[in-house]
Each structure stands twice: as C-alpha cells, then as structure tokens.
Amino acid sequence: MTAGVVYAIEETRPVTGSVAKERPALHVPALRGWGWGLMSRMAILFGLPSFANILELHRVGINLSRYRDFAFPLFQRYIMPAKTGTFPGDLDVTARYTMLYELSFALLGAVVWLLLDRRRKHEAVIHEAGRLVARYVLAGMLFYYGGEKFVGDQGGWSLEPEHQMDLWGNNTGFEAMMAWLSYSTLYAWFAGWAEAGAGVLMFFRRFTTLAALLTLADMGMVWLINQSYWDSWGGAAFSPIHFMPYAVFLLLPQATRLADFFVRNTPTVTVFDRITPPQWFRVGSVALKCVVVPLIIYKEVIGSVYHGQAVHTYSPLHGVYEVVEFQRNGVVEPIASDFPRRWLQVAITGLNGTDNSRGDIYGRTIHDKNFSYDVYWPDLKLEMEGPTLIERARNARLRVSRTKAPEGDLRLQSSMMTRIKSSKKGTFGKVDTLGLLHYTRAGFDNVILEGTVEDEKLKVRLRRIPLESQPYFRIRWKPI
Amino acid sequence: MSQSVRNFAIRAGMIFGALVFLTHPFILRLGGVVQSLAGRVGFDPYPMQGEMLLIVLLSLLGAAIWRAVDKNGWDNETLWKLLLVETRFVLAAAMLLSGLEKVLHVQMPWPTAPDWIRPLREMPSLYYVKIWTGASGLHETMLGLTELAAGVCLLFLRTTTLGALIALISVGNNVMIVLGFDDPRVGSYWPFVQLAAMALLLALMDLKRVWEFFAFEDKPTTPTDARHHWASPTLQRLERTAKTAFVIVVLLASVPIVVRGLDARARSPLAGAYAVEDFSVNGQAVTTAAPDAARSRWRLVGIDDCRRFAIRTIDDRQLESTIVGPSVGRLRQHSECASMTSAETGTLTIAPADVRTLGLVRPGPQGELRYARRGATVQLEGKIDDATVVVRLRRIPDKDFNVNKYPNSF
C-alpha cells in the first residue's frame, strides 16, 4: 500500500480520461501534524486487544491485554489510587482507573512509536488502520448492546415476580431503571435499532461519520441512564464511556466540517489522503469482510439469544402469590399486625436462573421483612460467561422441567441475596440446605407449600395474583 | 399535487400549527378547552383523541374559510415559507418551554411518599416512567438541556437543521416511550407526534444536503440561504417584530414554570412516609378479634405536599385521600403547604381522592384529622368515615428508601 498525495476534494473531480484509469483508492481524511499522528497511533494501541477479541483471536487479545496491563498495579498504587465507592451499587470503581490507565498506556506507546518513526511516511495508512480498529470495535459493541435489547430481554429480571412485591421506594436505582428499559418490547426494539443501526453503518467506510455521531448519542444516553440510576462514575457508567474515545477519534477529523455545516452554515470541503492498495489486497479485504462481519454479528448476538431463551423458560410455579392461609408449627396465623412474621406474599421465580434474582422463593412478611431461598439443583452444568451462554439455556430447561409435575419437592438453600447480605447464611459454593418444601399445584392459580424450613413446620396456601391484571402490566405488549 | 390542493394544504397546516401553539401541553396549554369540547361530542373516554380530531377538523375548516375570503392572497411559495417559519417557531417554543420544565424539575417532579409505599406493579406504566425519570435530577436535567439546545438552534435559520434533528431525536424518543408505555387508545402520543412531525418536516426540507454531507464526504456542500427574502413589504416589516414578539410570548409562558420550579424547593414538614405504631378505632385497639378490622388496620402512611394522603393497610391495599387545603394554589402549592403545616399542631381535612390516574388505588376515607408533630412522631386524631381514630405514626427517614439514594439525584 502506498499513501498518495494530499489534495483538496475539488481537484478529484474526474475531468480527464486519465483519472478513470487510476487504481481505485481509499480516501482517508487528511490529517497533518504530530498531534493527529499521535491520535491515530493511540487508537490502534487502545483498541487492538478489543479488536483481536472481536475477530475471535482471543489468545492474541488476552496476551495483548496482559502486556498492556503489566504496569496497572503500579499505576493504581502511585498515580491514581482507587477510592471506595460512595453510592449503593458503586462497586466497580476500578473501571474509571482502568480506562485512564489504558488511555495513558496508549498515549505513552504512541509517543514512543512517534519517536521511533520520526519520518512519518505512512501516516495515511496508520490513520486508516486506526479508523478500522475503531470502527470494528464499535460495531461489535453496538451489536452486543442491540442484541441484548432485541433478543436478550435486557433487564427483564427486574419485572420478575420477586421484584413485584416490595415497596417501590425500596427498589434500587438499577432495578427501577431496568423496570423501565425492559417493560416495552416496542421501546426495546427502538433502542436496539438505534444501537444496531449505528453498528450496521459502522461497517461501511462511507457512513463512518454518521455512525460515529449515532454511537456518541447512543453511548451518551446509556451513560446518562447508568450514571443517573446505577452507579456514579463506576463500572456501569464507564462501560459506555470506554467506547467514546473511538467515536471521538472517528469524528474529530470531521469536527470543522460538522461545525461548518450544522452551525456556521458555510460551505464544507474535506481534504483526503489517498491510499491505493494493490488489487489482490482490495479483493482479499472484501472477501475477509464478507467473513468477518457475519462472524462479529453472530458472536456478539448469540449470547443474548441463549440468554433470552433461558429467561423465557418459565416454571409453571412462576408468579406472585397472595398467602391466603399460613400455618406455623400447626398454628394458623391470620393477617394481623399481631403476627409480624406471617408471610403476606410470596414470589416464585421462573426457576430459570435469571440474573439478579432475589431468590427462587422470595417473600414478604406483614411487617415488610423479606426472606428468600434458592432451590438446590444438584445436576446443573457450569454456566460460563462465555460467548454463547448455551449452558444457561440448557440449565433453565432442566430446572423448569423439574417443576412441571403437579407436585414435587423443592430443596431449599440460602439465596444468593442472603449469602451476600448475611454471613450467617452460608457461603458461596457450599450447599447449606435450609429445608424442604413440598409443592402441590391445584390448577394454575393455587399452590400449597408444605414442609420444614429452618426448623419450623410450615403450611402455606397461595393464590396467584395475576400480574397481567395489575396496572403496570395491563397494557404490556411482549411478543417475545 | 395541484396548486389548489397545495394551497389548501399549506393553509390547513398553518392553522394546525397555530392550534398546536395554543393547545399543546408544553406551550400555552389550552388543550383542556378543546378536550372538554371533544367530550361533548362523544370523546369522553379518550379526550386526547378527541382533541386531535377536533384540531384537524378545525384546521381543515379554517383553511376552507381562509381560502374563501382570501382568494387572491399570498402565493403558494410565500405561504410555504410562512408555514416553515411557523413550524420552526412552534417547535422552538415547545422545546424551550419543555426543556425549562425539565431543567427546573417541574415536568416530572420528585416522586413522593405515597408512591414510595406501594409496589411498582400497582402503578400505571406511563405514570411510572414519569416518577422514575423524576427520581433523578441528572437524567431529567440532561433531557431538558437537550430540548433547550434544540429550541435555541431552531430560533436561528442557519441552525434550523441541527435544531430539527436534535428535536427529532428527543421527541422521537418520547413518542416511542408513550407508544410503548400507554394504552394506544388514550392518544397520549399525539402531543409528541405533533412535535415529531414538525421536526421531521424541517429536517426533510434539508434532507438532500444532510444526505450528501454524510454519504458523500468527497463532495463539497453548499450552505442554505440564511435569509427569507420576503416579497411582501408587510412580511418584511413583520419579520423584524415577529421574533421579538415570539421571545416575549415564550418568556411570559415560562414565568409560571420558573415560579413552580422555585416553589418546588419548599417542602411541608409533614411530607414523608410513616410506619403506623398504634392504631385504634373508637377507642379500641385493632386486634385479631375482629378479622376484617385487623386486615384494614393502617400499616404505612405516605403524605406529600398537601395533595395526597395515602394509607397502606395490613392486607396490602392502598387507600388514597386528597388533602383539602383552604388556599393551596397550583403555582405555589409547596410553599403554601409548607407554611400551612409548619406549626407542630394543626388539622388536615381529607376527602376521597380521584384515583383514576393512580393505578391500583382505592379511594381513601374522609374526615378531619388533628395532627401533633413531635420529632419523628406524629399523632393523628379525628373522625373519619364516622369512626374516631387515633393513630401514632413514626417517621421513616427519607434516606431509608432507596429511591432517595440514587446517584446524582441532586
């Protein structure tokens, strides 16, 4: 490949026959000065590990990340020590430091590269390489985000039964935000298209500027929502911010043109560098693109497909129930404030292993105290957070198949929630059986739970509260 | 399209724009008048659908009358330019006023205690979107700033396309939210659809240039004409004064918003959520001896600034009453309520609330309750629904509710 001369766009008009005989060229916005050279190199160094992962070159990606991160502990220790989060949910405060480190590393690397390459003869090629890395990393991310909304039921866990009993004021910002995002399929598709649409455009060099603008708008919106409800400058807020440098890099060469067009209302002209690769390279690139683009889309979306399958696999027990009769150790406890520990409502999840579950069986007492249990399943496969999440869908089907019979046993263990909240309730990885409840389903709406839990003999008669008749769900359209 | 039809359509569009300016909930807010008119002709269950239909019919009728009395008036080109100017300014007004409402946090106010003490499923979905957005100062402010940016850009001819595109994104998002979260029969999308259509029209006017800008970066683009060049001397004179008049109207319309924004800083010392510690009816404590009374015993109480008095019962029902204030005005509701309830003792008059918009809520009791506030405890005594009740409430600190702990909630 060779970088051609710089010329103003007016000079490129095909005014003579000789122009038509030229080899087809790639036009790259012309950037002059060491600052632009630094940025192009930073884009490559910042994005290369993600670019390798996008192309399924995981080993390369992991190794690149490892080389890049070798100085991260020193960075954290001497340059920017991490502080503890101050807001609920602000758990991953390292996200901001990680990004700053990665940017600093890329900057340092770019400076060294520039010092070694002082003649800078290949600026156009390096710039195009930086743009390629940025475009494909962004496209992959945008398809991932879009896939979650199209087929992954993003945030659908927040509308599961166990989240429909507590006072709304006690919901976390994260729950409240997901209850909005996952409510409407129509809106999820709209948001998904805003993201995946920008991803589609990103695969075309012609639409790079438009795609980068849409990406900034999308990521800006994701940041705003995450920052407003989830965490403050933590992992959630930084997940979209992490991608913004790529979009800014793609847009900066067009900044003057954008301002001229949209604000100053003056004529706009772009100056390009020409790269004229040989024919075999062009043909090979097109062929490679035909393989890589579907691969990226598949890889970024398939996890959401299986996740969507898992969370839409429901046990027949799934629902919110009113406790119509409650016996503890043979004594009937009525609904009255004299019995503060009496169960008032019970939610049984889809038993599909949904994310952020509060427990497979989650309940609320008369005095607004919550309790939760997970059902123990001895023969589940390990659900790796791999690219496909296929085991998650299999496990969901397995769990649900165990509760299809009209009656059966549910062996209870402490839930993930109680394990996080209380040190008394067992530890991760250990089965701490708390009891066994025998369920009997009478029709669709009535369930009796009977058994011994935490040394108390319980008999609980439940009647389903049909969620679809509740105001929040009454007009909900959820085709998938 | 024939010249005659085009002429009629432009005139209808101009009248439509003027009616939107008058009726739109973000601008002069006179839609209630049209809705009550629509109610009289059979649109009672869906007044917003009726309002839209009437606006369309009035536009068509108005265009017919206008043409009849002004056969040799302005040519189509002038009318079309006028329509675009009108569209630009109506949209700008909506964006500026709605943006200001959001920035000052009055369009979707902070959720109050009556909503803290009930589960999400009991709220109508669009109602939830409003209180959820209101729960974050950052979210609502940024949405407002976006709308303000669109409004400011729309004020200038050279930045019209930018303003229209920002407005289209902003209002388009609202259209999708309302379509996704409300019963389509209600027609609550119409105010947003009206604005989205205006933004779309303005963006389409420059579509070719925008398309070439993004899709053909190797082609130079030319600027738009940043002047109107009116042929009519009347319009030339009008242009100079119209913008000033528009700014004055928008400023006047924004005064109540600013007043409400400042008022929202005040808060009644009674407003908050309470746990019911003691509850007796006619001098008797409520026990399991009377199962129905035991189920209906108050468990939680949520009070806002002299509007809602919400009761959560032991069996998990929400009953809501309206606090009847002698002089609570709409603009200064919070500060008047704060002053009314600033004393440690006083009286609350409550009446069953209109619960149609609140979701799964039943009308609450009516009567008069004397309150005595001491620290975190409030004692209520009085006669409601023919029974004498004595209730001791313990204030639950606001910060105990997660909704008050969102990051960046200001």
Side-chain angles (χ1 to χ4, degrees):
Chain A
M1 272 192 292
T2 55
V5 292
V6 183
Y7 62 96
I9 192 63
E10 289 89 344
E11 295 165 17
T12 68
R13 299 269 169 83
V15 289
T16 66
S18 63
V19 175
K21 287 178 192 169
E22 281 182 5
R23 264 197 304 188
L26 296 175
H27 289 174
V28 192
L31 304 174
R32 292 291 165 263
W34 64 267
W36 291 112
L38 194 73
M39 263 186 46
S40 301
R41 287 163 174 82
M42 269 184 79
I44 294 173
L45 294 171
F46 184 67
L48 215 49
S50 304
F51 187 64
N53 285 326
I54 288 277
L55 299 180
E56 284 290 285
L57 305 170
H58 294 300
R59 191 171 289 276
V60 177
I62 289 167
N63 282 329
L64 285 172
S65 303
R66 193 182 298 156
Y67 295 138
R68 182 192 59 197
D69 296 342
F70 78 96
F72 186 55
L74 297 174
F75 180 82
Q76 267 193 311
R77 187 164 178 186
Y78 296 110
I79 299 176
M80 201 165 272
K83 290 172 189 161
T84 311
T86 50
F87 297 101
D90 191 6
L91 302 172
D92 189 9
V93 289
T94 54
R96 65 191 87 161
Y97 305 106
T98 307
M99 183 176 160
L100 289 172
Y101 170 77
E102 288 174 8
L103 278 173
S104 308
F105 179 86
L107 175 65
L108 194 68
V111 168
V112 172
W113 187 350
L114 264 183
L115 289 173
L116 294 175
D117 178 28
R118 269 174 287 182
R119 296 174 71 181
R120 295 198 283 129
K121 284 173 64 179
H122 305 287
E123 288 305 277
V125 176
I126 290 171
H127 183 205
E128 176 59 17
R131 284 168 69 84
L132 186 79
V133 168
R135 281 171 47 220
Y136 277 66
V137 169
L138 286 180
M141 174 275 294
L142 289 162
F143 270 99
Y144 180 83
Y145 275 56
E148 278 186 308
K149 292 177 180 69
F150 279 125
V151 289
D153 196 19
Q154 187 180 17
W157 54 265
S158 62
L159 297 180
E160 285 295 297
E162 78 271 25
H163 297 271
Q164 298 308 317
M165 296 194 317
D166 288 349
L167 311 180
W168 178 70
N170 281 336
N171 281 9
T172 62
F174 182 36
E175 278 177 290
M177 141 193 166
M178 288 305 187
W180 161 74
L181 182 63
S182 61
Y183 174 82
S184 162
T185 301
L186 189 69
Y187 189 74
W189 285 349
F190 166 70
W193 258 120
E195 288 161 349
V200 170
L201 292 174
M202 209 47 105
F203 286 126
F204 299 94
R205 296 178 75 253
R206 175 184 290 273
F207 296 111
T208 301
T209 305
L210 179 59
L213 269 179
L214 291 173
T215 304
L216 269 191
D218 288 336
M219 292 302 102
M221 191 65 189
V222 176
W223 166 81
L224 177 60
I225 300 293
N226 287 0
Q227 176 78 11
S228 299
Y229 300 97
W230 195 342
D231 64 15
S232 183
W233 303 111
F238 261 82
S239 61
I241 290 177
H242 195 269
F243 293 98
M244 288 185 183
Y246 299 109
V248 171
F249 166 68
L250 293 173
L251 276 181
L252 266 185
Q254 300 285 345
T256 311
R257 188 166 169 261
L258 282 162
D260 286 344
F261 185 85
F262 284 111
V263 182
R264 287 199 283 266
N265 193 33
T266 52
T268 66
V269 171
T270 309
V271 180
F272 288 103
D273 281 337
R274 282 161 55 97
I275 300 173
T276 47
Q279 182 69 9
W280 66 265
F281 187 90
R282 290 182 64 86
V283 172
S285 302
V286 171
L288 191 62
K289 186 172 179 176
C290 290
V291 176
V292 164
V293 169
L295 180 74
I296 290 175
I297 296 173
Y298 169 81
K299 188 177 104 45
E300 297 298 330
V301 175
I302 190 67
S304 292
V305 172
Y306 286 121
H307 178 75
Q309 280 183 12
V311 298
H312 289 125
T313 308
Y314 295 121
S315 160
L317 293 171
H318 174 254
V320 180
Y321 297 88
E322 172 193 359
V323 178
V324 288
E325 190 185 315
F326 184 82
Q327 283 184 32
R328 192 194 307 271
N329 297 324
V331 178
V332 176
E333 297 185 4
I335 298 179
S337 62
D338 312 358
F339 295 93
R341 289 178 62 225
R342 183 201 189 271
W343 294 10
L344 187 65
Q345 287 166 352
V346 169
I348 304 181
T349 66
L351 299 177
N352 52 23
T354 307
D355 292 327
N356 298 300
S357 169
R358 289 185 173 179
D360 291 332
I361 295 179
Y362 182 77
R364 185 153 74 87
T365 65
I366 281 180
H367 273 204
D368 280 325
K369 298 281 182 264
N370 298 115
F371 57 89
S372 67
Y373 304 106
D374 276 347
V375 177
Y376 174 61
W377 313 95
D379 45 5
L380 296 184
K381 295 185 176 169
L382 192 62
E383 289 176 16
M384 292 294 288
E385 284 290 337
T388 66
L389 297 180
I390 194 165
E391 297 299 351
R392 179 173 290 187
R394 282 183 192 150
N395 280 346
R397 285 197 290 274
L398 192 72
R399 284 192 198 96
V400 168
S401 68
R402 299 284 159 80
T403 53
K404 283 205 166 151
E407 59 181 300
D409 289 333
L410 302 171
R411 190 176 157 195
L412 304 183
Q413 59 178 339
S414 60
S415 73
M416 186 74 84
M417 192 187 81
T418 48
R419 271 177 276 170
I420 289 170
K421 281 193 169 172
S422 164
S423 58
K424 283 190 277 180
K425 293 275 185 179
T427 51
F428 286 106
K430 283 189 180 174
V431 180
D432 47 338
T433 307
L434 298 177
L436 189 136
L437 281 176
H438 183 81
Y439 75 84
T440 312
R441 263 191 302 118
F444 180 65
D445 291 332
N446 296 294
V447 175
I448 296 171
L449 298 174
E450 201 169 0
T452 303
V453 181
E454 297 189 86
D455 304 326
E456 289 183 320
K457 204 172 167 193
L458 303 176
K459 183 175 181 186
V460 188
R461 202 153 61 80
L462 307 174
R463 184 168 56 213
R464 185 184 295 275
I465 301 173
L467 277 184
E468 62 279 5
S469 70
Q470 300 283 298
Y472 194 65
F473 295 92
R474 204 170 283 154
I475 57 144
R476 190 178 188 213
W477 181 64
K478 194 77 182 167
I480 58 168
Chain B
M1 194 190 290
S2 78
Q3 288 300 310
S4 170
V5 174
R6 188 176 151 86
N7 186 281
F8 180 80
I10 295 171
R11 287 169 195 253
M14 288 182 70
I15 296 171
F16 182 81
L19 289 172
V20 168
F21 189 79
L22 292 171
T23 58
H24 201 279
F26 294 159
I27 315 175
L28 295 189
R29 304 159 189 273
L30 299 174
V33 180
V34 187
Q35 284 180 20
S36 62
L37 204 64
R40 289 184 190 177
V41 290
F43 278 94
D44 232 4
Y46 303 112
M48 296 187 86
Q49 300 283 13
E51 181 189 349
M52 183 64 188
L53 188 69
L54 275 188
I55 288 178
V56 171
L57 288 176
L58 283 172
S59 304
L60 295 174
L61 189 67
I65 295 169
W66 186 5
R67 269 209 357 165
V69 298
D70 177 38
K71 277 187 180 156
N72 302 316
W74 289 319
D75 59 292
N76 278 0
E77 196 189 338
T78 308
L79 280 173
W80 178 245
K81 275 160 68 177
L82 278 171
L83 174 67
L84 291 182
V85 171
E86 185 199 26
T87 303
R88 191 156 66 86
F89 280 94
V90 172
L91 185 59
M95 291 290 99
L96 289 170
L97 293 170
S98 168
L100 188 65
E101 279 191 333
K102 287 193 174 85
V103 167
L104 294 178
H105 219 71
V106 294
Q107 193 174 90
M108 290 170 279
W110 191 257
T112 53
D115 287 323
W116 304 349
I117 63 167
R118 61 179 176 148
L120 163 69
R121 65 184 155 85
E122 294 186 2
M123 302 178 194
S125 37
L126 191 60
Y127 178 95
Y128 174 68
V129 174
K130 288 177 186 165
I131 64 161
W132 168 75
T133 312
S136 168
L138 177 69
H139 186 196
E140 194 172 351
T141 303
M142 294 297 275
L143 294 178
L145 289 175
T146 309
E147 291 179 357
L148 282 176
V152 170
C153 288
L154 284 164
L155 290 179
F156 304 98
L157 201 52
R158 66 178 189 174
T159 49
T160 296
T161 302
L162 179 60
L165 289 173
I166 298 174
L168 191 59
I169 291 170
S170 177
V171 183
N173 188 49
N174 288 336
V175 170
M176 295 310 295
I177 285 180
V178 178
L179 279 174
F181 284 80
D182 203 9
D183 184 342
R185 290 171 300 177
V186 173
S188 44
Y189 40 79
W190 283 124
F192 300 105
V193 169
Q194 289 165 356
L195 300 182
M198 290 179 176
L200 191 62
L201 175 70
L202 293 172
L204 284 176
M205 289 301 100
D206 212 10
L207 181 67
K208 187 168 174 287
R209 249 173 31 95
V210 173
W211 170 251
E212 284 178 356
F213 176 83
F214 283 118
F216 301 98
E217 292 182 346
D218 52 346
K219 282 188 181 175
T221 60
T222 50
T224 53
D225 193 348
R227 291 180 64 85
H228 284 299
H229 307 293
W230 302 110
S232 151
T234 316
L235 290 177
Q236 283 171 12
R237 279 196 302 276
L238 202 62
E239 188 185 0
R240 283 193 287 274
T241 51
K243 208 174 210 176
T244 316
F246 170 80
V247 170
I248 290 170
V249 170
V250 170
L251 283 177
L252 286 175
S254 64
V255 169
I257 297 170
V258 175
V259 172
R260 281 164 61 208
L262 294 173
D263 175 60
R265 292 156 171 253
R267 191 176 170 201
S268 159
L270 272 185
Y274 297 87
V276 178
E277 288 194 324
D278 284 319
F279 183 78
S280 67
V281 179
N282 295 329
Q284 302 282 318
V286 174
T287 64
T288 48
D292 284 345
R295 294 170 75 97
S296 302
R297 181 195 186 274
W298 297 7
R299 181 164 60 94
L300 295 165
V301 168
I303 304 173
D304 72 358
D305 279 343
C306 297
R307 276 198 180 160
R308 293 169 69 185
F309 184 95
I311 298 158
R312 197 87 197 162
T313 59
I314 286 288
D315 61 355
D316 218 32
R317 286 173 296 135
Q318 181 125 342
L319 315 173
E320 288 217 13
S321 298
T322 300
I323 299 173
V324 185
S327 64
V328 175
R330 191 164 168 269
L331 288 181
R332 299 189 28 84
Q333 181 213 344
H334 295 278
S335 44
E336 282 173 16
C337 178
S339 124
M340 243 170 62
T341 52
S342 60
E344 289 196 336
T345 57
T347 303
L348 294 176
T349 306
I350 56 173
D354 179 358
V355 295
R356 279 175 298 180
T357 57
L358 294 174
L360 191 60
V361 170
R362 293 167 177 82
Q366 66 174 353
E368 274 200 357
L369 288 169
R370 290 182 304 283
Y371 66 83
R373 187 164 48 81
R374 182 165 297 171
T377 308
V378 174
Q379 180 95 1
L380 297 176
E381 279 183 56
K383 198 156 189 176
I384 55 170
D385 289 350
D386 299 327
T388 306
V389 295
V390 178
V391 190
R392 198 173 77 228
L393 307 174
R394 182 181 43 80
R395 178 78 177 252
I396 304 171
D398 292 356
K399 280 288 172 194
D400 283 6
F401 287 95
N402 281 330
V403 68
N404 297 312
K405 291 190 279 195
Y406 293 173
N408 305 296
S409 52
F410 300 167

